[in-house]
Amino acid sequence: MHCVRLALSSRCFVVSNYSRVCSQLVSIRKVMSSSRPKIFVTRDDFPGIELLKEKAEIEVFKGTQPSKDEIIAGLKGKQAIYCSLNDRIDKDVLDACKDSLKVIGTMSVGVDHLAWRLCFERGIRIGYTPIILTEAVAELTMALLLATSRRLFEAHNEILQNRWSSWSPMWMCGPGLHEATVGIFGFGRIGQEVARKLKAFRVKKIIYSRFSPGEIENDVGAIKVDADELLKESDFLIVLCSLNENTQHFFNKDRFAQMKPSAIFINVSRGGVVVQDDLIDALKRNVIKAAGLDVTTPEPLKADHPLLALPNCVVIPHIGSATYKSRNEMGEATSQNILLGLEGKPMIHEWKG
Ligand SMILES: O=C(O)C(=O)CO
């Protein structure tokens, strides 16, 4: 008869046969695995989730966009959520999981989809992904600026419609960036990187406005102006602010009316900074010349949306950070933020308000 002693937390068991030892070990393993953190992941194609699988029990939503009820159901008993800017984590969601949720990891720089003040009150930590995507979003902003001002999609469509009859002197002309005054609304990391890239286009002047007081040290000689001057002076106005109570619906009928009729409006921030019907009206009545939008309300936009019928509006589907490098690194950082947050350690990037 085999006699095996198994020591476990100061207790000592004596078991009489090998198979009983095995069954004890299985149950110990079960206890250990149930102490692994539980994480809800809101879609199955997030980069970086392999990292979570190694260290946690994860439940992955099968599909691409859980509804609020599905988020609440998925979060039941979970200590963390891996989400994106599509997933609204509001008071209802936080109330429903108030006994378990400790960490939110969002694969985005924007946090406007999160009731983050309430999270702070409840001690829920938020990991996000700034810096990683700065270059990608700044690059995309330049692409949108050029696509809109030089009418790339409109011109391509002319070919598709068989309207390219000959080279023609004034056909498909648009304003150039050279010698233009470019206004940047929201001069954070991405705004400053766009300003650096604009220098290479030899623009006349870069002006910016932001809500925080004081000028920002910048290596491109951008000049701080108030919002009224920015609206009036800009040949190109690029919106790169975050969405918050100061910026929500900032660009409305009156603000478009302050802009030059030749102005090009670019939004790579959030659809919510614009009263979209006012923008549509301004574009239809040529209050401003054109708009380039990476963000809209709602997202996704249906193909029959009035914005898409405007020849002077370029719309792309929120792809600001969509380079392979940026998205992969954002995913890795999100997983690491979550694991570090659950371990009570400093995150790579933690949103502190
Ligand atoms: O990460 C974000 O918040 C973005 O919107 C990137 O385009």
Side-chain angles (χ1 to χ4, degrees):
M1 192 193 343
H2 294 288
C3 190
V4 181
R5 279 174 187 272
L6 177 67
L8 176 71
S9 319
S10 79
R11 285 200 209 156
C12 194
F13 299 103
V14 179
V15 289
S16 60
N17 62 47
Y18 184 69
S19 68
R20 247 180 95 195
V21 174
C22 287
S23 79
Q24 290 277 6
L25 286 173
V26 168
S27 52
I28 289 166
R29 235 184 247 128
K30 268 192 191 145
V31 172
M32 282 174 63
S33 76
S34 67
S35 71
R36 279 152 58 97
K38 295 190 174 69
I39 302 171
F40 178 54
V41 179
T42 61
R43 49 187 301 153
D44 59 10
D45 54 358
F46 276 130
I49 54 176
E50 293 310 312
L51 208 65
L52 294 184
K53 284 183 188 157
E54 285 168 23
K55 306 231 167 122
E57 278 180 30
I58 68 168
E59 181 183 323
V60 182
F61 180 72
K62 297 281 168 280
T64 52
Q65 186 54 70
S67 66
K68 184 165 170 166
D69 286 345
E70 286 167 330
I71 292 178
I72 290 174
L75 263 177
K76 203 168 171 1
K78 309 290 188 308
Q79 286 84 57
I81 181 169
Y82 181 144
C83 64
S84 79
L85 48 85
N86 290 326
D87 305 310
R88 191 146 292 283
I89 313 291
D90 60 11
K91 184 171 182 310
D92 297 339
V93 176
L94 293 176
D95 283 349
C97 60
K98 65 176 184 313
D99 298 326
S100 60
L101 189 67
K102 301 278 175 287
V103 174
I104 296 174
T106 181
M107 188 184 150
S108 63
V109 64
V111 292
D112 49 282
H113 54 299
L114 310 174
W116 54 268
R117 287 195 178 85
L118 194 55
C119 288
F120 291 171
E121 278 168 31
R122 297 184 179 181
I124 297 168
R125 295 175 66 187
I126 299 173
Y128 74 134
T129 60
I131 303 170
I132 300 166
L133 47 55
T134 300
E135 280 294 339
V137 179
E139 250 178 48
L140 190 281
T141 305
M142 296 306 300
L144 189 54
L145 196 55
L146 293 168
T148 309
S149 60
R150 300 301 302 272
R151 305 169 65 179
L152 298 192
F153 293 89
E154 207 184 332
H156 180 71
N157 197 42
E158 289 294 287
I159 304 175
L160 297 181
Q161 301 301 321
N162 254 331
R163 288 197 290 252
W164 183 13
S165 50
S166 68
W167 182 91
S168 165
M170 300 311 289
W171 186 55
M172 286 294 125
C173 286
L177 278 168
H178 183 223
E179 293 290 309
T181 295
V182 183
I184 303 180
F185 185 83
F187 204 57
R189 279 180 289 262
I190 301 172
Q192 290 169 52
E193 189 48 48
V194 168
R196 261 175 233 120
K197 296 189 184 332
L198 280 167
K199 281 297 268 191
F201 286 81
R202 293 186 287 131
V203 298
K204 180 161 96 196
K205 196 155 66 162
I206 301 173
I207 53 180
Y208 71 89
S209 81
R210 67 202 308 265
F211 286 95
S212 342
E215 279 195 35
I216 272 194
E217 285 280 318
N218 66 84
D219 50 6
V220 290
I223 303 158
K224 184 169 185 184
V225 297
D226 62 28
D228 284 337
E229 195 174 336
L230 194 91
L231 291 164
K232 269 191 237 134
E233 293 298 317
S234 300
D235 297 312
F236 296 85
L237 201 158
I238 307 170
V239 184
L240 285 163
C241 61
S242 50
L243 175 63
N244 55 43
E245 53 282 7
N246 293 320
T247 59
Q248 170 106 24
H249 291 163
F250 186 89
F251 291 92
N252 60 15
K253 187 172 182 284
D254 297 338
R255 299 239 156 78
F256 290 123
Q258 281 179 268
M259 292 170 64
K260 295 181 181 178
S262 56
I264 307 253
F265 177 80
I266 302 292
N267 187 8
V268 189
S269 148
R270 285 291 181 266
V273 302
V274 177
V275 179
Q276 202 163 263
D277 287 343
D278 290 0
L279 174 62
I280 293 172
D281 189 57
L283 289 168
K284 275 187 179 157
R285 296 192 300 107
N286 300 317
V287 175
I288 61 170
K289 184 170 177 57
L293 312 173
D294 182 41
V295 287
T296 56
T297 308
E299 288 178 13
L301 213 58
K302 291 276 178 263
D304 61 354
H305 193 279
L307 264 181
L308 299 169
L310 299 170
N312 54 349
C313 187
V314 171
V315 185
I316 49 174
H318 204 150
I319 53 169
S321 62
T323 63
Y324 297 120
K325 181 174 188 290
S326 171
R327 289 282 169 89
N328 281 322
E329 290 180 5
M330 287 165 75
E332 292 283 317
T334 305
S335 287
Q336 286 185 20
N337 281 339
I338 293 171
L339 294 172
L340 290 165
L342 288 170
E343 287 169 19
K345 293 183 181 160
M347 293 177 170
I348 302 177
H349 298 294
E350 182 161 358
W351 172 250
K352 304 266 187 174

